[in-house]
Amino acid sequence: MILYKLSSVTKIKSGKKILDNISCEIDKGKIFVIMGPSGSGKTTLLRLLNRLEDPSEGEMFFNGEDIKKIDVRELRKKVAMVFQIPLLFGEKAVDNILYPAKLYKIEVNPEEVIELVGLKRDILNQKIDSVSVGQAQRIAIARSLVLNPDVLLLDEPTSALDFSSKIEIENLIKDLNKNLGISIIFVTHDLEQAKRMGDRAVLIVEGKKIEEGSIPEMFENPRSSELKKFLKGELK
């Protein structure tokens, strides 16, 4: 089933086209990778998916419904976002788990949520300025799970981590996709990470869609010159 369908989506900021005529489909229940060099518009595309920004032109559909007709608050309950640098607030880790629960007036068991991301319960009472970057990112992911979202948007969530921590977060994300059925949309400029993580991908270069397809197809049989260059590390 199709989760998102984008048709001729363009985003203009300060008179410049950040995204130019993007059309693609994202399947439900899969891990979809948005890849491309730095400054290509990947993060902007991700932000459109839960309406942190709106397109200047074109149409976007979520579960078959025009995304502009969905209440933003309800959309963000279903579509959670985790940023590149983990943004924690409050005094303790538990404050981050309780915040969305209070916002949407639901009950939550913080201990159960924190265990979903592989952290021990005692971290809940730890001050946020004392946790590691890897722990902070897990707490941010846990916070995003409180509302039982259908989709996780992940904007290069491992870029600030060392390699072993990066692999741990990647495995966590794949487990959430497999065990909870959460659709994952993952931004990265790291080719090896895209290969490890994704089912399908789209390549964005200078705001334009270059190729879209399954990860094996794109890596083994690149069609465009841009993808060939990207795979060779010639596009940064």
Side-chain angles (χ1 to χ4, degrees), residues 55-70:
S56 305
E57 300 171 12
E59 295 181 314
M60 297 178 60
F61 294 88
F62 176 69
N63 283 330
E65 186 175 357
D66 186 339
I67 200 168
K68 289 185 178 179
K69 295 180 179 179
I70 303 173

Side-chain angles (χ1 to χ4, degrees), residues 195-217:
K195 195 183 296 185
R196 290 192 299 266
M197 290 294 296
D199 297 303
R200 291 180 62 81
V202 63
L203 174 66
I204 305 292
V205 177
E206 295 183 350
K208 296 181 179 181
K209 170 185 165 182
I210 304 300
E211 278 194 44
E212 178 185 0
S214 74
I215 294 287
E217 283 176 1

Side-chain angles (χ1 to χ4, degrees), residues 43 46 81-87 133 137 153-161 187 189:
T43 294
L46 196 72
M81 186 160 182
V82 177
F83 296 92
Q84 184 173 9
I85 304 299
L87 302 171
V133 177
Q137 195 60 285
L153 307 179
L154 301 163
D155 187 10
E156 304 211 42
T158 64
S159 62
L161 305 178
V187 163
H189 65 273

Side-chain angles (χ1 to χ4, degrees), residues 74-205:
E74 287 303 308
L75 178 67
R76 291 178 187 162
K77 186 177 180 181
K78 297 177 181 178
V79 184
M81 186 160 182
V82 177
F83 296 92
Q84 184 173 9
I85 304 299
L87 302 171
L88 301 185
F89 42 77
E91 183 181 355
K92 298 179 180 179
V94 69
D95 297 330
N96 291 270
I97 307 302
L98 294 176
Y99 177 77
K102 291 177 181 177
L103 188 64
Y104 283 86
K105 296 181 173 62
I106 65 168
E107 292 187 5
V108 64
N109 184 330
E111 295 179 344
E112 290 181 357
V113 175
I114 207 70
E115 287 180 344
L116 286 174
V117 297
L119 292 175
K120 294 181 179 179
R121 297 181 175 193
D122 57 8
I123 201 170
L124 289 168
N125 290 315
Q126 196 166 327
K127 292 188 176 182
I128 58 172
D129 59 4
S130 68
V131 301
S132 69
V133 177
Q135 289 172 326
Q137 195 60 285
R138 286 176 185 263
I139 293 167
I141 293 171
R143 182 179 61 205
S144 74
L145 297 177
V146 169
L147 301 176
N148 296 314
D150 297 329
V151 188
L152 273 186
L153 307 179
L154 301 163
D155 187 10
E156 304 211 42
T158 64
S159 62
L161 305 178
D162 60 35
F163 185 74
S164 62
S165 297
K166 177 184 293 190
I167 296 299
E168 288 177 1
I169 294 293
E170 288 179 7
N171 288 335
L172 168 62
I173 292 164
K174 287 188 282 189
D175 286 344
L176 293 174
N177 170 251
K178 179 180 178 181
N179 299 330
L180 300 182
I182 299 176
S183 302
I184 306 291
I185 303 174
F186 192 99
V187 163
T188 186
H189 65 273
D190 183 330
L191 285 170
E192 292 304 313
Q193 183 170 65
K195 195 183 296 185
R196 290 192 299 266
M197 290 294 296
D199 297 303
R200 291 180 62 81
V202 63
L203 174 66
I204 305 292
V205 177

